[in-house]
Amino acid sequence: MSGAKLKAPRGTFDVLGGDACVRAGIESRARTLLGAAGYERIETPAFEATELFERGVGESTDIVRKEMFTFEDAGGRSLTLRPEGTAPVCRAYVEHGMHKRRQPVKLWYLSSFFRHERAQAGRYRQFWQIGSEILGSEDPAVDAESIALLAGLLDELGVRELRLRLSSLGARETRAAYREQLQAYLRANESSLSPEVRERIELNPLRAFDSEHPGTREVMAGAPRLLDQLGTEDAEHFAEVRALLDIASVAYEIDPTLVRGLDYYTRTVFEFTSDALGAQSGVGGGGRYDRLVEQLGGPPTPGMGWAAGVERVMLAGGAPPAASQAVELFLALERPEPELRGVAFRLLGEARSAGLAAQMDLGGRSLKGQLGHAAALGARYVGIVAPSHVVLKDMQAGEQTELAADAVVHAVLRGHHAL
Ligand code: HAM
């Protein structure tokens, strides 16, 4: 066997030290915010039947066409690492009979997702999303609450230079009729379009709005707009959503060209972008999917939700205020003797049981080295364990006392509370 160094697969990364703390902080903020709003945590499996995403996300989407990690298990079943969370949550909603509960059912998740995309800054093959879904209500207040919650979360996390774009896709029928109209318009202007857009006129004409190609952009500036063609009910629904967002003081721009990369959307769609990010500016997005549950074999059930990319949140400057991990007591050994180590180890256990953030030397350092290490950790108290006593140093006050080992934890607690 060769001894060559192994690396994590392309587009994946290890989460280490400081980053892991920031992520834990983001998770805890999301849990507090969504928990207080009545959302229940859900975790679905990392892989699902491939058919779930084919039927749910849509066969014409980039995700299903080229980005899924799909494999066969030993029984010949086609499985896929989840590329997104909405279809799995809808599957779970039906499978667990959640439609029989009081509606709407509000769920949230923080999970890893997998897409075989071209890896670059902010775009990975395994990434994390915080997501929320509300199933079982068509009320425009659901749309507004959902969007306002994400706005609140991103704001609280300090994501910089945020913009919210908002649109409505109307009912599926409106969208289908519009699609044909747009296809006809694109065909009539085919010679000015980029080859990629031309190729996708049949499969996914809406993606033409996303193109950076100058000729295509010019054509799209004059393209018919779906937002101008909404039916009365859909237009009223959208007006209600906007009015409620105004009441909640959530700032947004109406963007009739907003295209989401998933097929299940109906009515409201939205996306938060950050100008602090480069090309991958999408921080989070979502919308309504009133036909998805039914499409997956469940009863007709409206739904609405969003997902935000944890890495994008972090890249856009979003992190909770640093939680202080200050070491309250560091135990050092006067000499590297097993007996002293035993005493320090016992005190470490006592200190932790008493709720103190305590550490001891684990590196076999000299006393000087241990004190240096305690200083680097910012320890508030250092206990130097000697054969007959412990020298407790208050690093802030610059004072020290000699105590019996049994009195150390109590002294630190007393000093700590006196602060
Ligand atoms: P999405 O827009 O595909 O929506 O993804 C949501 C967010 O996930 C994006 O805004 C981005 O921050 C992050 N993201 C997506 N792909 C990657 C990647 N390759 N690397 C890093 N971050 C990425 C959905 O997934 C829908 N399920 C959202 C939803 C929930 N709609 C309704 N309910």
PDB file of all heavy atoms in Angstrom, residues 360-376:
ATOM      1  N   MET A 360      -6.452  21.132  32.637  1.00  0.00           N
ATOM      2  CA  MET A 360      -5.170  20.901  33.305  1.00  0.00           C
ATOM      3  C   MET A 360      -4.110  20.627  32.246  1.00  0.00           C
ATOM      4  O   MET A 360      -4.439  20.426  31.072  1.00  0.00           O
ATOM      5  CB  MET A 360      -5.251  19.734  34.290  1.00  0.00           C
ATOM      6  CG  MET A 360      -5.411  18.368  33.649  1.00  0.00           C
ATOM      7  SD  MET A 360      -5.436  17.029  34.864  1.00  0.00           S
ATOM      8  CE  MET A 360      -3.672  16.681  35.049  1.00  0.00           C
ATOM      9  N   ASP A 361      -2.876  20.660  32.664  1.00  0.00           N
ATOM     10  CA  ASP A 361      -1.808  20.399  31.704  1.00  0.00           C
ATOM     11  C   ASP A 361      -1.873  18.956  31.209  1.00  0.00           C
ATOM     12  O   ASP A 361      -1.927  18.025  32.008  1.00  0.00           O
ATOM     13  CB  ASP A 361      -0.442  20.655  32.346  1.00  0.00           C
ATOM     14  CG  ASP A 361       0.667  20.311  31.379  1.00  0.00           C
ATOM     15  OD1 ASP A 361       0.687  20.917  30.285  1.00  0.00           O
ATOM     16  OD2 ASP A 361       1.472  19.404  31.674  1.00  0.00           O
ATOM     17  N   LEU A 362      -1.875  18.774  29.903  1.00  0.00           N
ATOM     18  CA  LEU A 362      -1.886  17.420  29.326  1.00  0.00           C
ATOM     19  C   LEU A 362      -0.667  17.215  28.435  1.00  0.00           C
ATOM     20  O   LEU A 362      -0.569  16.225  27.740  1.00  0.00           O
ATOM     21  CB  LEU A 362      -3.163  17.204  28.499  1.00  0.00           C
ATOM     22  CG  LEU A 362      -4.491  17.291  29.265  1.00  0.00           C
ATOM     23  CD1 LEU A 362      -5.663  17.272  28.298  1.00  0.00           C
ATOM     24  CD2 LEU A 362      -4.621  16.129  30.246  1.00  0.00           C
ATOM     25  N   GLY A 363       0.223  18.192  28.469  1.00  0.00           N
ATOM     26  CA  GLY A 363       1.332  18.129  27.520  1.00  0.00           C
ATOM     27  C   GLY A 363       2.670  17.809  28.147  1.00  0.00           C
ATOM     28  O   GLY A 363       3.691  17.877  27.475  1.00  0.00           O
ATOM     29  N   GLY A 364       2.707  17.456  29.448  1.00  0.00           N
ATOM     30  CA  GLY A 364       3.973  17.138  30.114  1.00  0.00           C
ATOM     31  C   GLY A 364       4.937  18.304  30.108  1.00  0.00           C
ATOM     32  O   GLY A 364       6.149  18.132  30.004  1.00  0.00           O
ATOM     33  N   ARG A 365       4.414  19.526  30.202  1.00  0.00           N
ATOM     34  CA  ARG A 365       5.278  20.714  30.143  1.00  0.00           C
ATOM     35  C   ARG A 365       5.954  20.989  31.482  1.00  0.00           C
ATOM     36  O   ARG A 365       5.485  20.545  32.536  1.00  0.00           O
ATOM     37  CB  ARG A 365       4.445  21.933  29.772  1.00  0.00           C
ATOM     38  CG  ARG A 365       3.837  21.914  28.393  1.00  0.00           C
ATOM     39  CD  ARG A 365       3.056  23.205  28.187  1.00  0.00           C
ATOM     40  NE  ARG A 365       2.519  23.280  26.835  1.00  0.00           N
ATOM     41  CZ  ARG A 365       1.351  22.755  26.487  1.00  0.00           C
ATOM     42  NH1 ARG A 365       0.614  22.130  27.375  1.00  0.00           N
ATOM     43  NH2 ARG A 365       0.924  22.838  25.237  1.00  0.00           N
ATOM     44  N   SER A 366       7.021  21.789  31.420  1.00  0.00           N
ATOM     45  CA  SER A 366       7.667  22.291  32.648  1.00  0.00           C
ATOM     46  C   SER A 366       6.695  23.265  33.299  1.00  0.00           C
ATOM     47  O   SER A 366       5.734  23.701  32.661  1.00  0.00           O
ATOM     48  CB  SER A 366       8.945  23.044  32.279  1.00  0.00           C
ATOM     49  OG  SER A 366       8.580  24.229  31.571  1.00  0.00           O
ATOM     50  N   LEU A 367       6.935  23.627  34.565  1.00  0.00           N
ATOM     51  CA  LEU A 367       6.030  24.571  35.235  1.00  0.00           C
ATOM     52  C   LEU A 367       5.956  25.876  34.443  1.00  0.00           C
ATOM     53  O   LEU A 367       4.874  26.430  34.237  1.00  0.00           O
ATOM     54  CB  LEU A 367       6.515  24.840  36.672  1.00  0.00           C
ATOM     55  CG  LEU A 367       5.607  25.800  37.459  1.00  0.00           C
ATOM     56  CD1 LEU A 367       4.176  25.291  37.538  1.00  0.00           C
ATOM     57  CD2 LEU A 367       6.158  26.016  38.879  1.00  0.00           C
ATOM     58  N   LYS A 368       7.095  26.340  33.941  1.00  0.00           N
ATOM     59  CA  LYS A 368       7.116  27.592  33.168  1.00  0.00           C
ATOM     60  C   LYS A 368       6.245  27.438  31.906  1.00  0.00           C
ATOM     61  O   LYS A 368       5.456  28.326  31.566  1.00  0.00           O
ATOM     62  CB  LYS A 368       8.564  27.901  32.783  1.00  0.00           C
ATOM     63  CG  LYS A 368       8.741  29.294  32.274  1.00  0.00           C
ATOM     64  CD  LYS A 368      10.222  29.669  32.242  1.00  0.00           C
ATOM     65  CE  LYS A 368      10.390  30.856  31.310  1.00  0.00           C
ATOM     66  NZ  LYS A 368      11.406  30.642  30.315  1.00  0.00           N
ATOM     67  N   GLY A 369       6.415  26.288  31.258  1.00  0.00           N
ATOM     68  CA  GLY A 369       5.625  26.016  30.048  1.00  0.00           C
ATOM     69  C   GLY A 369       4.134  25.991  30.365  1.00  0.00           C
ATOM     70  O   GLY A 369       3.319  26.494  29.593  1.00  0.00           O
ATOM     71  N   GLN A 370       3.788  25.378  31.512  1.00  0.00           N
ATOM     72  CA  GLN A 370       2.372  25.285  31.880  1.00  0.00           C
ATOM     73  C   GLN A 370       1.784  26.661  32.145  1.00  0.00           C
ATOM     74  O   GLN A 370       0.659  26.971  31.751  1.00  0.00           O
ATOM     75  CB  GLN A 370       2.205  24.443  33.149  1.00  0.00           C
ATOM     76  CG  GLN A 370       2.608  22.984  32.968  1.00  0.00           C
ATOM     77  CD  GLN A 370       2.477  22.231  34.289  1.00  0.00           C
ATOM     78  OE1 GLN A 370       1.375  21.986  34.750  1.00  0.00           O
ATOM     79  NE2 GLN A 370       3.590  21.886  34.897  1.00  0.00           N
ATOM     80  N   LEU A 371       2.558  27.514  32.811  1.00  0.00           N
ATOM     81  CA  LEU A 371       2.063  28.865  33.120  1.00  0.00           C
ATOM     82  C   LEU A 371       1.891  29.667  31.820  1.00  0.00           C
ATOM     83  O   LEU A 371       0.940  30.429  31.672  1.00  0.00           O
ATOM     84  CB  LEU A 371       3.005  29.583  34.098  1.00  0.00           C
ATOM     85  CG  LEU A 371       3.037  28.939  35.499  1.00  0.00           C
ATOM     86  CD1 LEU A 371       4.057  29.638  36.399  1.00  0.00           C
ATOM     87  CD2 LEU A 371       1.648  28.952  36.147  1.00  0.00           C
ATOM     88  N   GLY A 372       2.816  29.439  30.888  1.00  0.00           N
ATOM     89  CA  GLY A 372       2.698  30.101  29.575  1.00  0.00           C
ATOM     90  C   GLY A 372       1.440  29.655  28.855  1.00  0.00           C
ATOM     91  O   GLY A 372       0.709  30.463  28.275  1.00  0.00           O
ATOM     92  N   HIS A 373       1.181  28.358  28.946  1.00  0.00           N
ATOM     93  CA  HIS A 373      -0.002  27.801  28.285  1.00  0.00           C
ATOM     94  C   HIS A 373      -1.280  28.379  28.915  1.00  0.00           C
ATOM     95  O   HIS A 373      -2.218  28.776  28.208  1.00  0.00           O
ATOM     96  CB  HIS A 373       0.026  26.274  28.427  1.00  0.00           C
ATOM     97  CG  HIS A 373      -1.066  25.572  27.690  1.00  0.00           C
ATOM     98  ND1 HIS A 373      -1.295  25.773  26.344  1.00  0.00           N
ATOM     99  CD2 HIS A 373      -2.003  24.695  28.111  1.00  0.00           C
ATOM    100  CE1 HIS A 373      -2.332  25.038  25.965  1.00  0.00           C
ATOM    101  NE2 HIS A 373      -2.781  24.371  27.024  1.00  0.00           N
ATOM    102  N   ALA A 374      -1.296  28.454  30.263  1.00  0.00           N
ATOM    103  CA  ALA A 374      -2.467  28.999  30.970  1.00  0.00           C
ATOM    104  C   ALA A 374      -2.683  30.460  30.572  1.00  0.00           C
ATOM    105  O   ALA A 374      -3.825  30.893  30.358  1.00  0.00           O
ATOM    106  CB  ALA A 374      -2.263  28.889  32.478  1.00  0.00           C
ATOM    107  N   ALA A 375      -1.593  31.187  30.404  1.00  0.00           N
ATOM    108  CA  ALA A 375      -1.711  32.601  30.015  1.00  0.00           C
ATOM    109  C   ALA A 375      -2.277  32.698  28.602  1.00  0.00           C
ATOM    110  O   ALA A 375      -3.139  33.528  28.313  1.00  0.00           O
ATOM    111  CB  ALA A 375      -0.352  33.279  30.106  1.00  0.00           C
ATOM    112  N   ALA A 376      -1.795  31.797  27.710  1.00  0.00           N
ATOM    113  CA  ALA A 376      -2.286  31.817  26.326  1.00  0.00           C
ATOM    114  C   ALA A 376      -3.778  31.504  26.277  1.00  0.00           C
ATOM    115  O   ALA A 376      -4.501  32.012  25.421  1.00  0.00           O
ATOM    116  CB  ALA A 376      -1.502  30.812  25.483  1.00  0.00           C
TER     117      ALA A 376
END
